[in-house]
């Protein structure tokens, strides 16, 4: 459609459009608005306003009809999303239900989504580590994917920039494999976690055990108070939305900050159909939207466009953005759009017992675990599989006694249920997967959603490298726990499908060469440079570290570059 009403055209014209309001979209909005650009943020889901729209944030367990559990009928109707650890009676309103937004699984893939203002920034696990130089250098060194067009030093100042604003707690550990950042005070290991740490590090000189780093305000600084955020209360109710702003989300942080500039327009309920490419101008000129409620098609226009719809949806949008110039999707001259998708391998875990001090416990809750950065194939290739895995563990005393010599009444019973059980250890992996052309997404030729947009077909799976890496974790994890003095070690392979890790990346990867990549070092499409992609879709590879902090840093870097280039007339 084309506008003939010049007033309507002017009202729908902006300096910049951001597609998506999650972690990366919020950062794009903050930076672009901060640079003085009139910015439209398009969100396909409902509006969620910080504080106002967290309906379960302060409810007690007994306030829920099913005490926080999901009824069997809901589980049966939602076999995909119900597998997510954070999905429950208190948080279901922030998750996409299976029937509402279907997709095609050519291979099993559990696509976990949150369609609302803030996206999955309301639901994420908030673990935030910097990538190391080994992550950016890995593909070129080990001969997979393509070479990253940037290195750690290119992103280091932007890591610092986003850490200072978002608020990241952590300890300065001085590790080459896990670079330090600008941290708030760290959380603390409990007595057994410290003991296991000491024993592991005594046995292995290449394995460092540190407290986790996470996006929680342990001690807010002035910049966080200016955002209206307060100290994390360690409630472990984060997926409900935090009324204290204790953890970082778009809703409590970047979007309100962007709004304060007066340059932000936020339009929820806007399902992006495609990006509009002008054949004569040889650039993207706008975004076509379907109103979620009226099904009316609307077009918005801007000089630069940021695509931050989350990795797979960003792929969908570009694949659906066809024109005479780009019949296979925007920027897709090389046919690689949607290919080389990667994710994190979470299949391996183990549990054990530990004869720890029975007179010791731990205080309160903690939003992070103890972690060990990757120790496999760090400096050179050493195993029969590529790359490696990060390891996490926790020590708890979960089993409170519910009987005392069979009694269920009286003083002895009362005393017994006030005592915790023995110490238990839980360990898990976060394995790097190798981007492959055979792991891809594409548009369905037959199935469409209720707005007439093709559904996404997903063909992503594990390979032999993933199986070898998993096996190594189970062997090494067992050995480490054994040397740490743990007993009754039980290993598990969840055999979960890809996607449940919620760390899918790739499909619109960065690289040096337009023949082998879609984006350049500034996250611009090689063949349409006024379109930027800075969410997980842009990733050339996936690290053993969590990806979200890198999304933020890449977005801040690209948005500042884009705003400066726009003012110079370079895009």
């Amino acid at each position: 459609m084309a506008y003939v009403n010049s007033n309507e055209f002017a009202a729908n014209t902006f300096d910049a459009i951001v597609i998506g309001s999650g972690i990366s979209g919020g950062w794009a909005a903050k930076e672009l608005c901060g640079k003085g650009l009139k910015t439209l943020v398009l969100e396909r889901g409902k509006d969620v306003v910080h504080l106002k729209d967290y309906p379960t944030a302060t409810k007690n367990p007994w306030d829920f009809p099913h005490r926080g559990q999901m009824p069997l009928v809901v589980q049966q109707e939602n076999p995909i999303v119900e597998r997510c650890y954070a999905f429950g009676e208190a948080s279901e309103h922030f998750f996409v239900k299976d029937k509402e937004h279907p997709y095609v699984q050519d291979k099993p893939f559990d696509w976990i989504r949150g369609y609302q203002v803030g996206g999955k920034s309301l639901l994420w696990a908030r673990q935030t580590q910097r990538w190391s130089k080994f992550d950016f250098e890995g593909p070129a060194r080990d001969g997979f994917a393509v070479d990253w067009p940037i290195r750690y030093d290119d992103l280091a100042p932007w890591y610092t920039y986003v850490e200072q604003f978002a608020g990241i707690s952590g300890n300065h550990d001085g590790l080459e494999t896990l670079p330090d950042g600008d941290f708030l005070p760290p959380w603390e290991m409990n007595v057994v976690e410290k003991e296991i740490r000491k024993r592991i590090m005594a046995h292995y000189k290449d394995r460092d055990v540190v407290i986790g780093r996470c996006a929680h305000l342990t001690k807010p600084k002035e910049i966080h108070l200016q955002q209206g955020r307060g100290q994390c209360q360690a409630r472990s109710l984060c997926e409900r939305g935090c009324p204290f702003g204790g953890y970082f989300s778009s809703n409590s942080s970047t979007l309100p900050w962007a709004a304060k500039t007066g340059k932000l327009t936020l339009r929820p309920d806007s399902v992006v159909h495609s990006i509009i490419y002008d054949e004569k101008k040889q650039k993207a000129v706008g975004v076509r939207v379907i109103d979620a409620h009226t099904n009316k098609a609307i077009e918005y226009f801007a000089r630069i466009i940021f695509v931050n719809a989350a990795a797979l949806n960003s792929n969908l949008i570009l694949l659906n953005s066809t024109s005479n110039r780009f019949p296979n999707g925007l920027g897709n001259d090389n046919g690689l759009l949607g290919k080389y998708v990667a994710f994190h391998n979470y299949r391996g875990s183990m549990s054990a017992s530990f004869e720890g001090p029975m007179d010791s416990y731990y205080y309160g809750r903690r939003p992070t675990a103890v972690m060990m950065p990757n120790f496999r194939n760090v400096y050179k290739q050493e195993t029969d599989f590529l790359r490696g895995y990060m390891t996490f563990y926790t020590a708890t005393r979960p089993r409170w006694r519910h009987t005392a010599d069979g009694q269920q009444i009286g003083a002895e019973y009362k005393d017994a249920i006030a005592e915790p059980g023995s110490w238990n250890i839980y360990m898990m992996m976060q394995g790097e997967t190798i981007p492959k052309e055979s792991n891809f997404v594409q548009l369905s030729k037959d199935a469409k959603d209720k707005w007439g947009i093709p559904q996404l077909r997903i063909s992503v799976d594990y390979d032999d490298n993933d199986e070898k890496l998993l096996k190594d974790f189970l062997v090494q994890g067992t050995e480490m726990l054994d040397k740490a003095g743990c007993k009754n070690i039980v290993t598990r392979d969840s055999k979960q499908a890809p996607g449940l890790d919620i760390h899918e990346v790739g499909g619109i990867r960065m690289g040096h060469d337009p023949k082998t990549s879609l984006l350049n070092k500034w996250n611009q499409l090689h063949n349409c440079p006024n379109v930027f992609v800075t969410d997980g879709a842009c990733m050339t590879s996936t690290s053993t570290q969590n990806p979200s902090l890198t999304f933020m840093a890449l977005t801040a870097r690209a948005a500042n570059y884009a705003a400066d280039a726009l003012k110079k007339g370079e895009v």
Side-chain angles (χ1 to χ4, degrees), residues 58-94:
T58 58
K59 285 189 174 182
N60 298 300
W62 52 86
D63 294 327
F64 296 96
H66 306 97
R67 301 299 186 263
Q69 301 301 308
M70 296 306 298
L72 181 60
V73 64
V74 177
Q75 296 179 41
Q76 293 173 337
E77 291 175 351
N78 297 277
I80 296 170
V81 70
E82 76 90 15
R83 297 186 187 115
C84 180
Y85 71 95
F87 181 71
E89 196 173 21
S91 61
E92 62 171 322
H93 49 284
F94 288 147

Side-chain angles (χ1 to χ4, degrees), residues 92-110:
E92 62 171 322
H93 49 284
F94 288 147
F95 283 92
V96 167
K97 305 300 190 301
D98 293 1
K99 291 183 179 180
E100 295 173 0
H101 299 274
Y103 60 98
V104 181
Q105 299 181 62
D106 288 341
K107 296 179 181 178
F109 189 92
D110 294 334

Side-chain angles (χ1 to χ4, degrees), residues 2-74:
Y3 282 103
V4 294
N5 186 323
S6 60
N7 291 331
E8 188 175 9
F9 178 85
N12 286 12
T13 300
F14 299 82
D15 297 318
I17 294 175
V18 177
I19 301 172
S21 63
I23 282 179
S24 63
W27 267 100
K30 171 189 174 295
E31 297 305 306
L32 295 170
C33 289
K35 285 283 189 174
L37 301 186
K38 183 183 176 185
T39 303
L40 171 67
V41 173
L42 297 169
E43 168 55 53
R44 67 177 296 153
K46 64 187 177 183
D47 195 11
V48 173
V49 178
H50 181 53
L51 299 179
K52 172 179 170 289
D53 294 321
Y54 302 154
T56 63
T58 58
K59 285 189 174 182
N60 298 300
W62 52 86
D63 294 327
F64 296 96
H66 306 97
R67 301 299 186 263
Q69 301 301 308
M70 296 306 298
L72 181 60
V73 64
V74 177

Side-chain angles (χ1 to χ4, degrees), residues 371-386:
M371 64 184 186
M372 180 190 306
N374 177 44
F375 56 87
R376 285 304 201 205
N377 304 316
V378 175
Y379 296 97
K380 62 180 180 179
Q381 182 62 37
E382 299 170 315
T383 68
D384 64 347
F385 57 86
L386 289 172

